[in-house]
Structure formats: structure tokens, C-alpha cells
């Protein structure tokens, strides 16, 4: 929708027939762009259950993922994951993951951006070494968007000590 990202937004909201895609704002980008070259000692990532809590509190929607209890609580009906095999100069092949989230309430599409271990492709898509990292990255984008709009998100950021780089 060409009106969604304008100051007045789309007048049709979730009932719009066009796709609404969230683009991270400069504030969101600063909060989410953390990678292994970052000088900070800690990575800030969302708590595993933060997205589930935010949807419950703000929209009274229960988000669960019964198919994979080890991953963040993202309902498979609303999460779309893409896997791609990319050539790695050392391993020759390596599985990389990215994620997108379709909000069940607002009908907005969020893409994984920045986050822990994120590597950006020439096309501007962020890829992650695991599905879990991709899900956490897209969760962070959704939660940052909620926070910017004044929705209740609670304490969703947790500090994780960065791993030492290999020489």
C-alpha cells in the first residue's frame, strides 16, 4: 500500500486490500543493528516469550508454536520462514535463514532486520545462521515497532554477553 508508510497512514488499516509492509525507522534501525563487529560488549535480543506477551496484552491474541517448543512463540499460521543455501568460502555450503511476520491483528508484514548474527545480502535481506536467530530478529522488529507506537511491550530487551571472536 503506497499510503501505509506516509505520515497519515492508510485509512483502511487492516482491511486494506494491499499489503502493508513495515520499514524500520531510524530509531528502530539504531536499536536493532547489532552484529559481531559492534563495539558493545553485549547483544540486546528479545526475550523468547516477549512477542507472545505483547500480543496477549495489546490485542488479547494468544500466539503459540506447538510444532517447535525450542523456538520463539510464533504461530506458524502467521510466520513465514525462508531457507536458502548460500555458498560459504570455507564450508562450501551453509544453511542461512530469514523470517517475516504477518501480524494477525493489523495485517502488517515485518521482515527480520539486524539482530544477533544477522548478515545482510546485496539485496538488503538479513540472513541468520539459525531459524531461531531469524525468528528472534523479526520478533525484535515487531516489538520495536510496538514500542515506538506506545503499545505495551514490557521489558523485552535482554542483554546477552557477546561471544569472543575467533582469531
Amino acid at each position: 500500500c503506497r499510503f501505509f508508510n506516509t505520515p497519515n497512514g492508510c485509512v483502511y488499516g487492516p482491511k486494506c486490500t494491499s499489503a502493508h509492509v513495515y520499514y524500520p525507522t531510524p530509531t528502530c534501525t539504531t536499536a536493532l543493528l547489532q552484529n559481531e563487529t559492534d563495539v558493545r560488549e553485549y547483544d540486546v535480543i528479545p526475550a523468547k516469550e516477549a512477542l507472545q506477551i505483547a500480543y496477549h496484552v495489546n490485542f488479547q491474541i494468544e500466539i503459540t508454536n506447538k510444532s517447535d517448543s525450542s523456538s520463539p512463540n510464533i504461530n506458524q499460521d502467521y510466520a513465514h520462514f525462508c531457507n536458502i543455501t548460500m555458498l560459504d568460502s570455507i564450508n562450501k555450503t551453509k544453511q542461512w535463514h530469514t523470517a517475516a511476520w504477518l501480524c494477525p491483528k493489523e495485517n502488517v508484514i515485518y521482515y527480520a532486520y539486524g539482530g544477533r548474527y544477522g548478515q545482510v545480502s546485496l539485496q538488503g535481506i538479513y540472513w541468520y545462521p539459525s531459524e531461531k536467530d531469524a525468528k528472534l530478529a523479526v520478533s525484535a522488529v515487531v516489538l520495536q515497532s510496538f514500542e515506538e507506537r506506545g503499545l505495551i511491550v514490557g521489558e523485552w530487551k535482554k542483554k546477552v554477553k557477546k561471544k569472543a571472536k575467533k582469531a
Side-chain angles (χ1 to χ4, degrees):
C1 172
R2 63 184 174 149
F3 301 107
F4 178 69
N5 288 301
T6 63
N8 293 330
C10 175
V11 296
Y12 300 108
K15 294 181 181 176
C16 183
T17 57
S18 298
H20 289 173
V21 178
Y22 172 79
Y23 296 105
T25 63
T27 306
C28 182
T29 337
T30 303
L32 299 173
L33 282 180
Q34 302 165 24
N35 55 44
E36 292 183 39
T37 61
D38 199 327
V39 295
R40 289 175 274 203
E41 184 179 359
Y42 292 91
D43 279 320
V44 179
I45 60 171
K48 183 177 173 180
E49 63 284 342
L51 191 63
Q52 179 183 23
I53 292 167
Y55 270 89
H56 176 72
V57 170
N58 290 292
F59 305 123
Q60 294 72 52
I61 293 176
E62 297 300 323
I63 297 170
T64 58
N65 183 356
K66 297 178 180 120
S67 65
D68 182 4
S69 60
S70 67
S71 65
N73 295 315
I74 297 177
N75 187 321
Q76 292 298 323
D77 293 316
Y78 300 111
H80 305 280
F81 300 98
C82 176
N83 293 323
I84 190 168
T85 302
M86 297 175 61
L87 290 178
D88 185 289
S89 60
I90 298 171
N91 300 335
K92 299 298 178 201
T93 61
K94 183 175 182 175
Q95 190 84 26
W96 288 88
H97 307 265
T98 193
W101 172 261
L102 175 59
C103 176
K105 178 69 175 181
E106 299 176 307
N107 203 28
V108 174
I109 300 168
Y110 297 88
Y111 291 103
Y113 184 90
R116 193 172 198 200
Y117 308 123
Q119 300 291 320
V120 67
S121 70
L122 293 174
Q123 296 82 12
I125 298 170
Y126 276 83
W127 296 97
Y128 304 86
S130 74
E131 185 176 309
K132 179 181 176 186
D133 292 325
K135 287 180 179 182
L136 286 172
V138 76
S139 294
V141 172
V142 175
L143 292 166
Q144 188 68 37
S145 165
F146 284 10
E147 191 173 88
E148 288 176 357
R149 294 185 286 146
L151 295 174
I152 301 166
V153 292
E155 290 296 318
W156 66 272
K157 299 171 185 171
K158 69 177 182 180
K159 284 186 172 183
V160 177
K161 183 93 169 153
K162 290 183 109 173
K163 294 179 180 176
K165 290 184 186 178
K166 294 179 182 177

